[in-house]
Short mmCIF file of all heavy atoms in Angstrom, two decimals:
data_model
loop_
_atom_site.label_atom_id
_atom_site.label_comp_id
_atom_site.label_asym_id
_atom_site.label_seq_id
_atom_site.Cartn_x
_atom_site.Cartn_y
_atom_site.Cartn_z
N THR A 265 -38.97 -79.77 66.89
CA THR A 265 -40.03 -80.58 67.50
C THR A 265 -40.14 -81.97 66.89
O THR A 265 -40.80 -82.83 67.46
CB THR A 265 -41.39 -79.87 67.38
OG1 THR A 265 -41.59 -79.48 66.01
CG2 THR A 265 -41.46 -78.64 68.27
N ASN A 266 -39.50 -82.20 65.74
CA ASN A 266 -39.52 -83.56 65.15
C ASN A 266 -38.84 -84.56 66.06
O ASN A 266 -39.21 -85.74 66.10
CB ASN A 266 -38.84 -83.57 63.78
CG ASN A 266 -39.79 -83.21 62.66
OD1 ASN A 266 -40.69 -82.39 62.85
ND2 ASN A 266 -39.61 -83.79 61.50
N LEU A 267 -37.82 -84.09 66.80
CA LEU A 267 -37.09 -84.99 67.69
C LEU A 267 -37.84 -85.21 69.00
O LEU A 267 -37.45 -86.07 69.79
CB LEU A 267 -35.70 -84.43 67.98
CG LEU A 267 -34.78 -84.23 66.76
CD1 LEU A 267 -33.38 -83.84 67.21
CD2 LEU A 267 -34.73 -85.48 65.90
N SER A 268 -38.87 -84.41 69.23
CA SER A 268 -39.66 -84.58 70.46
C SER A 268 -41.09 -85.01 70.13
O SER A 268 -42.01 -84.77 70.89
CB SER A 268 -39.67 -83.29 71.29
OG SER A 268 -40.14 -82.21 70.50
N ARG A 269 -41.23 -85.62 68.94
CA ARG A 269 -42.52 -86.14 68.48
C ARG A 269 -43.63 -85.10 68.51
O ARG A 269 -44.77 -85.37 68.91
CB ARG A 269 -42.91 -87.36 69.33
CG ARG A 269 -41.92 -88.53 69.21
CD ARG A 269 -42.31 -89.69 70.07
NE ARG A 269 -41.34 -90.79 69.92
CZ ARG A 269 -41.40 -91.93 70.60
NH1 ARG A 269 -42.37 -92.13 71.48
NH2 ARG A 269 -40.49 -92.86 70.41
N GLY A 270 -43.27 -83.91 68.08
CA GLY A 270 -44.25 -82.85 67.97
C GLY A 270 -44.54 -82.10 69.25
O GLY A 270 -45.30 -81.13 69.24
N LYS A 271 -43.96 -82.54 70.36
CA LYS A 271 -44.20 -81.87 71.63
C LYS A 271 -43.23 -80.70 71.81
O LYS A 271 -42.18 -80.65 71.19
CB LYS A 271 -44.06 -82.86 72.78
CG LYS A 271 -45.07 -84.00 72.75
CD LYS A 271 -44.85 -84.94 73.91
CE LYS A 271 -45.86 -86.09 73.90
NZ LYS A 271 -45.64 -87.03 75.02
N GLY A 272 -43.61 -79.79 72.71
CA GLY A 272 -42.77 -78.62 72.93
C GLY A 272 -43.12 -77.54 71.93
O GLY A 272 -43.83 -77.77 70.94
N GLN A 273 -42.64 -76.34 72.16
CA GLN A 273 -42.96 -75.20 71.30
C GLN A 273 -41.68 -74.54 70.80
O GLN A 273 -40.77 -74.26 71.56
CB GLN A 273 -43.80 -74.17 72.05
CG GLN A 273 -44.25 -73.02 71.18
CD GLN A 273 -45.17 -72.07 71.93
OE1 GLN A 273 -45.60 -72.34 73.03
NE2 GLN A 273 -45.48 -70.93 71.33
N ILE A 274 -41.65 -74.32 69.48
CA ILE A 274 -40.52 -73.63 68.88
C ILE A 274 -40.62 -72.15 69.20
O ILE A 274 -41.70 -71.56 69.12
CB ILE A 274 -40.52 -73.84 67.35
CG1 ILE A 274 -40.35 -75.33 67.02
CG2 ILE A 274 -39.43 -73.02 66.69
CD1 ILE A 274 -40.53 -75.64 65.55
N ILE A 275 -39.50 -71.54 69.56
CA ILE A 275 -39.46 -70.10 69.79
C ILE A 275 -39.02 -69.42 68.50
O ILE A 275 -37.88 -69.60 68.07
CB ILE A 275 -38.49 -69.75 70.93
CG1 ILE A 275 -38.96 -70.36 72.25
CG2 ILE A 275 -38.37 -68.23 71.06
CD1 ILE A 275 -38.06 -70.07 73.43
N PRO A 276 -39.90 -68.67 67.85
CA PRO A 276 -39.49 -67.97 66.64
C PRO A 276 -38.44 -66.92 66.96
O PRO A 276 -38.44 -66.34 68.05
CB PRO A 276 -40.79 -67.32 66.13
CG PRO A 276 -41.88 -68.04 66.86
CD PRO A 276 -41.31 -68.44 68.17
N GLY A 277 -37.57 -66.66 66.03
CA GLY A 277 -36.54 -65.64 66.23
C GLY A 277 -36.47 -64.73 65.02
O GLY A 277 -37.09 -64.99 63.99
N ARG A 278 -35.74 -63.65 65.14
CA ARG A 278 -35.58 -62.70 64.05
C ARG A 278 -36.93 -62.28 63.48
O ARG A 278 -37.10 -62.13 62.27
CB ARG A 278 -34.68 -63.28 62.95
CG ARG A 278 -33.27 -63.63 63.41
CD ARG A 278 -32.42 -64.16 62.26
NE ARG A 278 -32.22 -63.13 61.26
CZ ARG A 278 -32.52 -63.27 59.97
NH1 ARG A 278 -33.07 -64.39 59.53
NH2 ARG A 278 -32.29 -62.30 59.11
N THR A 279 -37.90 -62.12 64.36
CA THR A 279 -39.24 -61.73 63.92
C THR A 279 -39.34 -60.21 63.82
O THR A 279 -38.87 -59.49 64.69
CB THR A 279 -40.31 -62.24 64.91
OG1 THR A 279 -40.28 -63.66 64.94
CG2 THR A 279 -41.70 -61.78 64.49
N VAL A 280 -39.96 -59.73 62.75
CA VAL A 280 -40.27 -58.31 62.59
C VAL A 280 -41.78 -58.19 62.70
O VAL A 280 -42.52 -58.89 62.02
CB VAL A 280 -39.79 -57.76 61.24
CG1 VAL A 280 -40.32 -56.33 61.03
CG2 VAL A 280 -38.28 -57.78 61.17
N GLY A 281 -42.23 -57.30 63.58
CA GLY A 281 -43.66 -57.13 63.78
C GLY A 281 -44.12 -55.70 63.55
O GLY A 281 -43.30 -54.78 63.43
N ILE A 282 -45.44 -55.53 63.47
CA ILE A 282 -46.03 -54.21 63.30
C ILE A 282 -47.03 -53.98 64.43
O ILE A 282 -47.78 -54.88 64.80
CB ILE A 282 -46.71 -54.10 61.91
CG1 ILE A 282 -47.19 -52.67 61.65
CG2 ILE A 282 -47.86 -55.09 61.76
CD1 ILE A 282 -47.58 -52.44 60.19
N ALA A 283 -46.98 -52.79 65.02
CA ALA A 283 -47.84 -52.46 66.17
C ALA A 283 -48.25 -51.01 66.08
O ALA A 283 -47.64 -50.22 65.34
CB ALA A 283 -47.09 -52.73 67.47
N ASN A 284 -49.30 -50.64 66.83
CA ASN A 284 -49.73 -49.24 66.80
C ASN A 284 -49.67 -48.59 68.18
O ASN A 284 -49.78 -49.25 69.21
CB ASN A 284 -51.13 -49.08 66.19
CG ASN A 284 -52.10 -50.17 66.52
OD1 ASN A 284 -52.11 -51.20 65.85
ND2 ASN A 284 -52.93 -49.94 67.53
N SER A 285 -49.48 -47.29 68.16
CA SER A 285 -49.25 -46.48 69.36
C SER A 285 -50.47 -46.43 70.27
O SER A 285 -51.61 -46.33 69.81
CB SER A 285 -48.86 -45.07 68.94
OG SER A 285 -49.03 -44.16 69.99
N SER A 286 -50.22 -46.45 71.56
CA SER A 286 -51.30 -46.37 72.54
C SER A 286 -51.95 -44.99 72.58
O SER A 286 -53.14 -44.87 72.87
CB SER A 286 -50.78 -46.74 73.94
OG SER A 286 -49.70 -45.89 74.31
N ILE A 287 -51.19 -43.95 72.27
CA ILE A 287 -51.78 -42.60 72.35
C ILE A 287 -52.29 -42.10 71.00
O ILE A 287 -53.09 -41.17 70.95
CB ILE A 287 -50.78 -41.57 72.93
CG1 ILE A 287 -49.60 -41.36 71.97
CG2 ILE A 287 -50.29 -41.99 74.29
CD1 ILE A 287 -48.76 -40.15 72.34
N LYS A 288 -51.85 -42.71 69.91
CA LYS A 288 -52.30 -42.28 68.58
C LYS A 288 -53.45 -43.13 68.04
O LYS A 288 -54.07 -42.76 67.04
CB LYS A 288 -51.12 -42.32 67.60
CG LYS A 288 -50.02 -41.31 67.88
CD LYS A 288 -50.54 -39.89 67.73
CE LYS A 288 -49.44 -38.85 67.82
NZ LYS A 288 -48.60 -38.81 66.63
N SER A 289 -53.73 -44.25 68.68
CA SER A 289 -54.80 -45.13 68.20
C SER A 289 -56.15 -44.65 68.73
O SER A 289 -56.83 -45.32 69.50
CB SER A 289 -54.53 -46.58 68.64
OG SER A 289 -53.31 -47.05 68.10
#
Side-chain angles (χ1 to χ4, degrees):
T265 51
N266 273 35
L267 300 187
S268 55
R269 298 179 180 177
K271 297 179 180 179
Q273 185 176 351
I274 297 172
I275 297 180
R278 299 182 65 235
T279 298
V280 172
I282 187 167
N284 37 276
S285 162
S286 57
I287 67 167
K288 293 296 187 74
S289 299

